[in-house]
Amino acid sequence: MTETQRFRSLVASAASIPDPLPVRAFLDPAHVLLAAEASVFASKELSPRPVPDSDRAAREEARSILKLLGAGGWFESIGRQDWRSASLVREALGASSPLADAVFALQGLGTLPILFAGSPAIQEQWAKAAIAGRAMAAFAMTETEAGSDVAAMRTRAIRDGDGYVVNGAKCYISNAGIADFYIVFASTDPEARGKGISCFLIPADAAGLTFQGPQILSSPHPLGEISFQDCRVPASHRLGEEGRGFALGLKTLDRMRATVGAAACGMAARALVEALRHALSRRQFGKSIAEFQLVQEKVARMATDLEAARLLVYRAAWVADQGAERVTMEAAMAKAFATEAAQRIIDEAVQILGASGVMASHPVDRLYRSVRALRIYEGTTEIQHLVIAGQLFQSPLG
Ligand SMILES: Cc1cc2nc3c(=O)[nH]c(=O)nc-3n(C[C@H](O)[C@H](O)[C@H](O)COP(=O)(O)OP(=O)(O)OC[C@H]3O[C@@H](n4cnc5c(N)ncnc54)[C@H](O)[C@@H]3O)c2cc1C
């Protein structure tokens, strides 16, 4: 079977498929196939799964999705640091199951610091297990007084013999309470602020690490608080040099932010498909609502926003795949634009669906609740704009 035939047969068997053609200029033929395979997998294996109706059910579901994604090799793009593939996978997951997308995101956030700065032994034990879906990752940076201002963190790691003693607390941590290991950011030199932060891998069963309880979101997403009380961490679990933890965190976010944009595109694409389908079938005033120009204007804007978002996302992923050391500006633009655009697109989809779009059981209502957090986590839109402006003022103009 030729590549085109294989692609067509995959498309034919998928319920809904993100169309990778508009960004094909940034993709290799293997990516186009992967996009189709990921969509078929997501629509067949993830879409039919019941949406968890409680935090407890969401936690159980996240663990079983981890196994499913690991067994299918869907985390391998993280291990290869292949950002176009990771983006395509997140588009497909976002369209079918925002919870599965969150599981993917955390495996990325939790594995990259190990790949960037972990010893061979740590990589062998933890990164391998994470990519195989045998170990669930978490990324613990945020604190009650340190959200956007990461450098204000108060969690301390004090050197003690051949290790560190960690004390403090983290909040809004995805996978808190169900992760097997946490990538933890703690200050080893508070006076140095951002330059005094170090990064550690702490297994979930370490003495002194406690899950304090869940923080419940309006969409299924395991989130919660953890605390550290005299938690001993061997020095071999420090990732990178002392004081270089913030830089390691930023390097990780640099790579992952464009993929957040990709997840947003997947959610928006699904909402657009649902809106088009509804507009064609719903009749009011004796005609299909797709015939009204006010509805046509909405879908035109939605589709244009989506294509612009995808172009920024795959441009950033392509630059990263070319081996660029940093993709700070491209990734910030991709994340800010795609997540804001996805919010607008999904909101308009709800409007086109009318009352049916705000029914809790409708996929577009679920997307409406799921997409909101993407404009906040991994750096709010405002922080992305500050990053972009910072880059602009750094480089010589003209
Ligand atoms: C679903 C979800 C999952 C998350 N998962 C994780 C996780 O796994 N690990 C983790 O460490 N964290 C996680 N977070 C936390 C997330 O990273 C923070 O919420 C985010 O960084 C913003 O911090 P904050 O909520 O404290 O908002 P704040 O920093 O208090 O910001 C509030 C508002 O002020 C604005 N603002 C702040 N500073 C400025 C400025 N200088 N200029 C202009 N505007 C500004 C912000 O843009 C925002 O609009 C998660 C959050 C959510 C919602």
Side-chain angles (χ1 to χ4, degrees), residues 347-371:
D347 185 60
E348 288 290 41
V350 171
Q351 198 66 15
I352 290 171
L353 279 148
S356 62
V358 285
M359 294 298 112
S361 59
H362 199 287
V364 171
D365 179 71
R366 290 201 296 268
L367 291 168
Y368 186 75
R369 282 179 278 130
S370 298
V371 76

Side-chain angles (χ1 to χ4, degrees), residues 117-360:
S119 65
I122 295 262
Q123 296 205 15
E124 183 62 28
Q125 185 180 356
W126 293 103
K128 256 193 175 173
I131 287 163
R134 285 185 277 107
M136 180 170 259
F139 182 88
M141 190 177 251
T142 304
E143 301 181 2
T144 45
E145 300 305 322
S148 302
D149 185 9
V150 174
M153 72 174 55
R154 292 190 183 155
T155 296
R156 288 290 317 267
I158 296 175
R159 186 87 203 204
D160 183 40
D162 59 355
Y164 293 82
V165 178
V166 179
N167 279 286
K170 300 283 178 183
C171 60
Y172 302 132
I173 305 306
S174 300
N175 291 347
I178 54 170
D180 296 298
F181 69 94
Y182 294 83
I183 300 298
V184 178
F185 296 84
S187 178
T188 38
D189 180 1
E191 278 179 20
R193 290 213 5 127
K195 292 194 171 134
I197 292 172
S198 302
C199 179
F200 302 91
L201 185 154
I202 309 187
D205 59 3
L209 192 169
T210 309
F211 171 51
Q212 294 293 349
Q215 292 173 292
I216 315 279
L217 253 77
S218 51
S219 59
H221 182 120
L223 195 75
E225 295 175 292
I226 53 171
S227 67
F228 305 91
Q229 198 178 6
D230 295 332
C231 176
R232 285 199 71 83
V233 184
S236 60
H237 278 49
R238 193 188 69 226
L239 303 176
E241 289 167 35
E242 204 172 272
R244 298 288 300 154
F246 191 25
L248 181 59
L250 290 181
K251 189 174 173 188
T252 300
L253 292 171
D254 220 48
R255 293 298 191 244
M256 289 302 293
R257 276 177 178 158
T259 74
V260 180
C265 289
M267 294 182 194
R270 172 76 187 274
L272 177 58
V273 167
E274 297 284 344
L276 291 172
R277 196 176 285 152
H278 181 81
L280 288 168
S281 63
R282 174 71 174 160
R283 294 183 71 80
Q284 287 294 279
F285 301 98
K287 15 170 127 156
S288 116
I289 62 168
E291 290 179 58
F292 298 127
Q293 286 187 340
L294 289 176
V295 173
Q296 291 172 6
E297 196 249 1
K298 282 191 201 305
V299 298
R301 281 185 189 277
M302 291 157 79
T304 309
D305 252 355
L306 176 58
E307 293 315 315
R310 277 179 167 157
L311 287 167
L312 281 172
V313 164
Y314 288 94
R315 192 269 302 242
W318 179 83
V319 174
D321 285 346
Q322 303 316 299
E325 178 61 21
R326 299 297 301 261
V327 282
T328 309
M329 185 146 94
E330 293 88 343
M333 285 178 171
K335 186 199 184 258
F337 187 87
T339 56
E340 294 286 331
Q343 178 87 52
R344 290 194 294 274
I345 294 165
I346 295 170
D347 185 60
E348 288 290 41
V350 171
Q351 198 66 15
I352 290 171
L353 279 148
S356 62
V358 285
M359 294 298 112

